[in-house]
Amino acid sequence: MMRRGLVAGPDFDYFQRRYYTPSEVAEHNQPEDLWVSYLGFVYDLTPLVQEFKGDLLLKPILEVAGQDISHWFDPKTKDIRKHIDPLTGCLRYRTPRGRFVHVPPPLPRSDWANDFGKPWWKGPNYQVGRLSARTRNIRIINTLTSQEHTLKVGALESMWEILHRYLPYNAHAASYTWKYDGKNLNMDQNLEENGIRDEAEEFDYLNLDSTLHIPAVLLYFNDDLTEL
């Protein structure tokens, strides 16, 4: 933790969020910027795509850019699902979209080399964070300017992570005291831990539009013009 003027908090020059929403993953859907998610984590496969640029084995990966591909995997082994190949009678990776990078061919081939180390789906090399299984909306109201923004955030994100999301709207966001219901928020805790309940399920149960009531966090200026 570092202190910036009147406000204690992380150094946002080096801050990394832990969670990403499915809609954020979906934005990275181009060969030059390709993310996928699986088994609760988010992966940036852009370096892999650049390494194998022009290779036909990239096609199945390009087709799922920005999507969740958990159905490709066995949740117990964390490996690609396998099946018995009807041609060889051997246990092989199951790839309905076609064989992709680092998946061995069904039969021995002279042009196949397995000296690449771990396949791309094993290990944390491409991992950028966790996937938010549940998201919610929160309103952030700047009491100094009366500006209001609604953000979609991960339910488990800390207030610091939410502040990081809010920075494009207010570069001085860390120079404010964040409050809800008149109480200072614990920035290391998430919304629920700060007493800001997610009532979307209750609204759905009552057949009401949950957007009719979105909790609001109020920002009070601390007279500290620290720009992040």
Side-chain angles (χ1 to χ4, degrees):
M1 302 291 284
M2 302 186 65
R3 180 164 290 279
R4 302 180 303 268
L6 301 177
V7 182
D11 185 343
F12 281 97
D13 286 334
Y14 304 98
F15 185 81
Q16 289 187 325
R17 282 174 27 215
R18 298 171 299 161
Y19 292 94
Y20 295 88
T21 65
S23 58
E24 286 179 304
V25 177
E27 293 173 358
H28 301 269
N29 58 6
Q30 300 298 321
E32 61 276 8
D33 179 24
L34 193 154
W35 288 19
V36 296
S37 62
Y38 56 89
L39 302 180
F41 289 89
V42 177
Y43 298 83
D44 180 0
L45 299 186
T46 308
L48 181 77
V49 173
Q50 295 303 314
E51 181 183 353
F52 289 90
K53 188 175 182 179
D55 194 322
L56 288 176
L57 294 179
L58 274 180
K59 185 173 181 291
I61 295 174
L62 296 176
E63 291 175 345
V64 296
Q67 301 178 32
D68 186 83
I69 56 172
S70 294
H71 58 284
W72 286 15
F73 297 85
D74 183 328
K76 292 182 180 179
T77 64
K78 314 295 185 185
D79 200 0
I80 303 292
R81 293 182 183 274
K82 296 181 179 180
H83 71 138
I84 300 297
D85 189 323
L87 294 177
T88 64
C90 298
L91 190 64
R92 298 291 183 186
Y93 284 124
R94 182 178 179 273
T95 54
R97 287 181 175 269
R99 181 170 154 254
F100 50 81
V101 174
H102 292 171
V103 170
L107 297 172
R109 290 174 50 169
S110 59
D111 60 349
W112 166 252
N114 61 354
D115 55 357
F116 48 78
K118 287 186 177 180
W120 61 262
W121 60 88
K122 293 185 178 180
N125 292 350
Y126 301 103
Q127 191 180 113
V128 294
R130 291 179 173 270
L131 183 69
S132 292
R134 187 164 61 93
T135 60
R136 56 181 298 189
N137 292 325
I138 188 72
R139 288 185 299 146
I140 300 179
I141 301 174
N142 186 334
T143 60
L144 179 67
T145 64
S146 298
Q147 290 179 314
E148 177 179 328
H149 297 89
T150 299
L151 302 182
K152 176 172 286 189
V153 304
L156 297 178
E157 291 183 19
S158 70
M159 296 306 303
W160 286 124
E161 291 171 294
I162 294 173
L163 187 156
H164 186 265
R165 287 182 179 278
Y166 178 65
L167 285 177
Y169 305 103
N170 184 350
H172 304 287
S175 296
Y176 288 72
T177 295
W178 291 49
K179 292 188 176 186
Y180 175 76
D181 198 22
K183 298 178 181 177
N184 289 8
L185 296 178
N186 185 331
M187 302 299 284
D188 294 314
Q189 296 181 341
N190 60 40
L191 292 169
E192 197 81 27
E193 291 169 337
N194 273 294
I196 309 176
R197 295 180 55 235
D198 184 1
E199 301 175 313
E201 290 186 3
E202 296 178 31
F203 274 80
D204 290 342
Y205 178 77
L206 296 172
N207 292 320
L208 296 175
D209 184 359
S210 61
T211 61
L212 295 175
H213 173 68
I214 300 175
V217 170
L218 303 183
L219 274 56
Y220 294 86
F221 188 55
N222 288 325
D223 196 26
D224 172 24
L225 287 175
T226 301
E227 182 168 344
L228 299 175

